[in-house]
Amino acid sequence: MKSLSSGMKCVSILVIIVSGAFAGNAAAVKKEREYWPTQAWQSSPPEKQGMKADVLQDVVTAITEQWLPMHSILIVRNGYLVAEKYFDTYHEHSKHLVYSVTKSVVSALVGIAIEKGYLTGVDQPVLTVFPEHTIAHDLDRKRALTVEHLLTMQSGLEWREMVTPMHQSSDWVQFVLDLPLVADPGTTFNYCSGNIHLLSTMIGKTADTDTLSFARTHLFEPLGISDIHWELDPQGIPNGGW
């Protein structure tokens, strides 16, 4: 709880100080962006974007003096970067663990895979993508398991997040497919990283590639994201869960 409290205080300080950083009439600030960043944000003096440089500097000073657990702070106004500061050993090229943000990336890739026809839709039965796998438990009930159930954390699989040892197994996909059902698919919410790892696998199998290559082509490169490391499971499948 101590670290959570510190993080909440950090956010509160930023909100309070930044709220006083605007100068003049906000309506007078040009709202139309002259560009949209891909590889890099364009910088601008804060005053040109209707913000006070001295107040933004106060934000940086408060973070430094109070030893707040911040890696960096970047403030964008009207599409321009008006403040940028890194703390401790972090810098603009530092990679960060994004943990379960990965699940949101995979869910976006599922939508792209559906749009391109690799997956048939959110109602597609999961087991149709894994015909070569034997299923240890509840095969008949698992036939009802769909892409939507995985996306919405309603697979019904027996799973305790941070406890169920998928990452210790030699075959993560088989491990998840073999889990017993404790509820019928679509009836109960239970947060399960294994669900999203199955989705990562399904994207690669149906598109005849791997999730990272698929993501580079259809999501990362169009967004200007190029410097990526994605952990793989023992079979070389990008980890969908974190």
Side-chain angles (χ1 to χ4, degrees), residues 86-105:
Y86 300 90
F87 304 96
D88 296 327
T89 60
Y90 296 97
H91 52 82
E92 62 180 315
H93 300 296
S94 297
K95 287 188 178 71
H96 282 70
L97 293 169
V98 296
Y99 299 103
S100 288
V101 171
T102 308
K103 295 178 173 68
S104 295
V105 173

Side-chain angles (χ1 to χ4, degrees), residues 19-32:
S19 68
F22 295 99
N25 186 350
V29 178
K30 183 178 179 181
K31 295 184 182 301
E32 293 183 3

Side-chain angles (χ1 to χ4, degrees), residues 18-241:
V18 172
S19 68
F22 295 99
N25 186 350
V29 178
K30 183 178 179 181
K31 295 184 182 301
E32 293 183 3
R33 297 182 179 89
E34 297 173 357
Y35 82 107
W36 188 255
T38 52
Q39 298 301 323
W41 293 95
Q42 291 185 22
S43 297
S44 171
E47 290 80 4
K48 189 174 180 180
Q49 304 305 322
M51 301 191 78
K52 299 177 182 178
D54 57 340
V55 176
L56 296 178
Q57 181 57 49
D58 287 345
V59 174
V60 174
T61 301
I63 293 170
T64 303
E65 291 182 349
Q66 299 181 44
W67 294 89
L68 298 177
M70 300 284 288
H71 296 180
S72 63
I73 178 171
L74 294 93
I75 298 177
V76 173
R77 171 74 168 156
N78 297 325
Y80 290 89
L81 188 63
V82 297
E84 180 176 10
K85 175 67 177 178
Y86 300 90
F87 304 96
D88 296 327
T89 60
Y90 296 97
H91 52 82
E92 62 180 315
H93 300 296
S94 297
K95 287 188 178 71
H96 282 70
L97 293 169
V98 296
Y99 299 103
S100 288
V101 171
T102 308
K103 295 178 173 68
S104 295
V105 173
V106 173
S107 68
L109 296 176
V110 168
I112 294 171
I114 290 173
E115 181 182 48
K116 295 186 175 299
Y118 297 118
L119 295 172
T120 61
V122 294
D123 58 349
Q124 180 173 352
V126 171
L127 295 188
T128 61
V129 182
F130 300 99
E132 73 280 12
H133 287 261
T134 58
I135 308 299
H137 303 284
D138 306 309
L139 174 59
D140 290 339
R141 293 169 68 202
K142 286 179 181 175
R143 296 187 196 280
L145 183 62
T146 67
V147 169
E148 181 175 5
H149 296 146
L150 298 181
L151 285 169
T152 58
M153 298 295 181
Q154 296 184 85
S155 65
L157 294 171
E158 185 178 56
W159 181 277
R160 292 177 61 197
E161 191 70 17
M162 305 296 291
V163 175
T164 301
M166 176 185 74
H167 62 285
Q168 296 177 9
S169 69
S170 60
D171 188 331
W172 293 12
V173 172
Q174 188 66 56
F175 180 91
V176 177
L177 291 174
D178 282 344
L179 289 172
L181 285 175
V182 294
D184 288 333
T187 62
T188 303
F189 176 90
N190 181 43
Y191 190 88
C192 173
S193 289
N195 290 347
I196 314 302
H197 191 60
L198 288 184
L199 289 173
S200 174
T201 309
M202 293 172 72
I203 292 167
K205 284 173 65 67
T206 57
D208 195 25
T209 183
D210 64 86
T211 315
L212 177 54
S213 297
F214 187 88
R216 285 188 189 278
T217 300
H218 300 293
L219 184 63
F220 295 151
E221 290 180 1
L223 292 175
I225 299 171
S226 59
D227 190 11
I228 305 153
H229 173 75
W230 200 332
E231 180 188 58
L232 308 178
D233 77 358
Q235 279 63 51
I237 300 166
N239 180 359

